[in-house]
Amino acid sequence: MKLASSLSRLGTETAFDVLARAVALEQAGRSIINLGIGQPDFPTPSNIVEAAVRALREGHHGYTPANGILPLREAVARDVARRRGVEIDPDHIVIVPGGKVTMFFAILMFGEPGVEIMYPDPGFPIYRSVIEYTGAAAVPIALHEERGFAFSADEVLSRITPRTRLIILNSPANPTGGVVPKAELDRLVAGLERFPEVALLSDEIYSRIVYDGTPHVSLLGYPAIRDRLILLDGWSKTYAMTGWRIGYGIWPPALVAHAVRLAINCHSCVHAATQWAAIEALEGPQDAVERMVAEFDRRRRVILRLLNGLPGFRCVMPGGAFYAFANISGTGLKAVELQDGLLEEEGVAAIAGTSFGRFGEGYLRFSYAASIEAIEEGMDRIRRYLERHARG
Ligand SMILES: Cc1ncc(COP(=O)(O)O)c(C=O)c1O
């Protein structure tokens, strides 16, 4: 068979490889502490599950409109008005099977050989993978530990060239937990007025998982860029619905029809009962979300204390999401070496920073979507591993 050469440029998400290896080890009888995978360890709240069951019983079995059922798009518009203070036309919302799909479609719309797309590094690995798949040049926006992994607006603006078509931003961020301060977003938006042809994709999938009372600042709140902003959000992380496969994009008027056409060419529509469940998620009681975020916050404090107590480790306090991005350079070990050694010898799954970009060497990502007991046991095992192997 002769395959398209573009396939050789497609990357992957190492978190899934580490998960597969961890599951295989567990099935072979090993005790595994999984701090690798980025999904809430809570079940989907029962009112949401019941809404899906009801929808199936009521006969919602067929195709839906490709952009999603109107009651769901209206519910998303109300939620956006409540949480982001912005009025959105439900016709500008496209419901898709997961947050990833909005990102995939946005990058496909702008990417081709000869153009540049900027993306956060370290960042969610799929950005770079799909940018390169399209043949576009992937231009990293370096995120630094000293700034709590928030980008510098000046640095972003200084890297825009006549070939730049799209800038991808993500706050709160995977893998760092970094939250970009409002002042930096203000500066970025002000500077972007000089580049009216550059579009933006704001990945706000962790918008509800922020700590210390910091409000989430959405790029949707900036009227100056509304006509070129694609907003990505969804249900996966907020409502512990990663396996349901549902998310949404808010598209500027010029792009909505393209997004819907891509949906028709790709998946037709999102599973009908899941769409009804997603309405219940947005409009039903929110106490499960609050409990989940409070529990993540408790774990965040525990894992930070323990990580900073490990020899050769240091870690800045993440402001959102459920990841800690620990600097491991003091151990003298390479990130992949530590990732593989911890899994094979101690049964601790964590992800090497290099899975998230060129600037990820010297870091290990820990997901604290795991119980406090698991986190404590994991940190004990890491200490044992370091006693045997650290070269720092
Ligand atoms: C930054 C970021 N964006 C998007 C996604 C994709 O979410 P979904 O599972 O809804 O496709 C993830 C999932 O890990 C993520 O971390």
Side-chain angles (χ1 to χ4, degrees):
M1 291 186 291
K2 210 158 166 55
L3 297 178
S5 56
S6 52
L7 278 178
S8 67
R9 299 194 299 269
L10 202 55
T12 186
E13 214 184 323
T14 318
F16 282 99
D17 299 340
V18 173
L19 177 68
R21 182 80 195 117
V23 168
L25 286 171
E26 205 157 31
Q27 281 167 352
R30 292 276 304 279
S31 143
I32 299 295
I33 304 285
N34 198 341
L35 306 176
I37 194 72
Q39 67 178 341
D41 55 322
F42 303 103
T44 305
S46 57
N47 60 312
I48 302 174
V49 175
E50 288 310 316
V53 171
R54 209 165 43 242
L56 285 172
R57 292 229 164 90
E58 285 172 0
H60 294 287
H61 302 166
Y63 293 125
T64 76
N67 56 346
I69 54 175
L70 182 60
L72 175 56
R73 287 183 288 113
E74 287 172 342
V76 171
R78 281 192 292 275
D79 191 68
V80 168
R82 253 190 322 268
R83 302 188 189 288
R84 292 181 168 93
V86 180
E87 297 296 327
I88 293 291
D89 181 343
D91 285 345
H92 295 165
I93 297 166
V94 182
I95 307 296
V96 282
K100 258 183 186 166
V101 181
T102 298
M103 154 192 329
F104 194 67
F105 286 2
I107 299 170
L108 285 189
M109 278 184 209
F110 290 96
E112 62 184 339
V115 313
E116 293 175 2
I117 297 181
M118 291 167 69
Y119 70 101
D121 182 340
F124 189 52
I126 301 306
Y127 306 139
R128 177 178 170 195
S129 162
V130 183
I131 295 168
E132 292 184 341
Y133 176 69
T134 67
V139 178
I141 301 169
L143 303 180
H144 306 290
E145 186 181 338
E146 308 77 70
R147 303 176 58 94
F149 296 106
F151 63 76
S152 137
D154 292 336
E155 218 171 295
V156 175
L157 293 165
S158 72
R159 302 207 63 188
I160 296 178
T161 76
R163 288 187 300 279
T164 308
R165 281 200 184 161
L166 177 69
I167 300 176
I168 302 174
L169 301 170
N170 172 219
S171 174
N174 178 7
T176 62
V179 171
V180 180
K182 180 171 181 304
E184 214 58 43
L185 293 176
D186 290 350
R187 283 162 68 78
L188 180 73
V189 172
L192 282 170
E193 284 184 26
R194 287 186 281 125
F195 305 100
E197 69 293 352
V198 175
L200 295 151
L201 168 64
S202 184
D203 181 343
E204 301 183 13
I205 196 90
Y206 296 101
S207 62
R208 296 279 298 277
I209 308 176
V210 276
Y211 307 110
D212 306 320
T214 315
H216 169 65
V217 184
S218 175
L219 277 177
L220 206 60
Y222 293 87
I225 51 167
R226 276 286 287 287
D227 62 348
R228 49 186 166 128
L229 172 74
I230 303 154
L231 182 121
L232 180 164
D233 203 340
W235 288 260
S236 298
K237 316 287 176 174
T238 308
Y239 298 99
M241 290 176 72
T242 51
W244 294 65
R245 306 317 299 144
I246 184 161
Y248 66 84
I250 299 175
W251 297 83
L255 299 182
V256 188
H258 296 296
V260 176
R261 190 164 288 202
L262 281 167
I264 292 169
N265 275 270
C266 176
H267 57 264
S268 297
C269 65
V270 171
H271 183 271
T274 293
Q275 294 191 51
W276 289 97
I279 298 177
E280 172 62 22
L282 297 178
E283 311 244 286
Q286 300 296 302
D287 49 313
V289 179
E290 283 150 26
R291 271 201 308 276
M292 219 152 44
V293 175
E295 181 58 24
F296 284 144
D297 188 17
R298 208 163 71 88
R299 296 164 178 187
R300 174 181 75 128
R301 292 164 197 279
V302 169
I303 198 168
L304 256 287
R305 179 174 48 77
L306 296 175
L307 282 170
N308 279 312
L310 289 174
F313 273 53
R314 65 165 196 262
C315 191
V316 293
M317 186 60 107
F322 37 68
Y323 307 108
F325 204 57
N327 184 319
I328 56 148
S329 50
T331 65
L333 300 168
K334 292 278 185 211
V336 169
E337 190 184 0
L338 188 52
Q339 167 197 282
D340 292 348
L342 284 177
L343 185 57
E344 297 301 328
E345 290 188 31
E346 291 292 343
V348 177
I351 314 289
T354 43
S355 301
F356 304 98
R358 297 162 224 189
F359 296 102
E361 184 53 89
Y363 293 90
L364 214 54
R365 187 195 79 174
F366 293 89
S367 158
Y368 49 89
S371 69
I372 300 254
E373 296 71 43
I375 291 169
E376 286 172 344
E377 167 70 16
M379 297 300 128
D380 281 347
R381 293 186 189 189
I382 296 173
R383 182 179 295 279
R384 283 206 300 268
Y385 182 88
L386 292 173
E387 279 164 10
R388 295 196 301 278
H389 297 283
R391 291 193 284 268

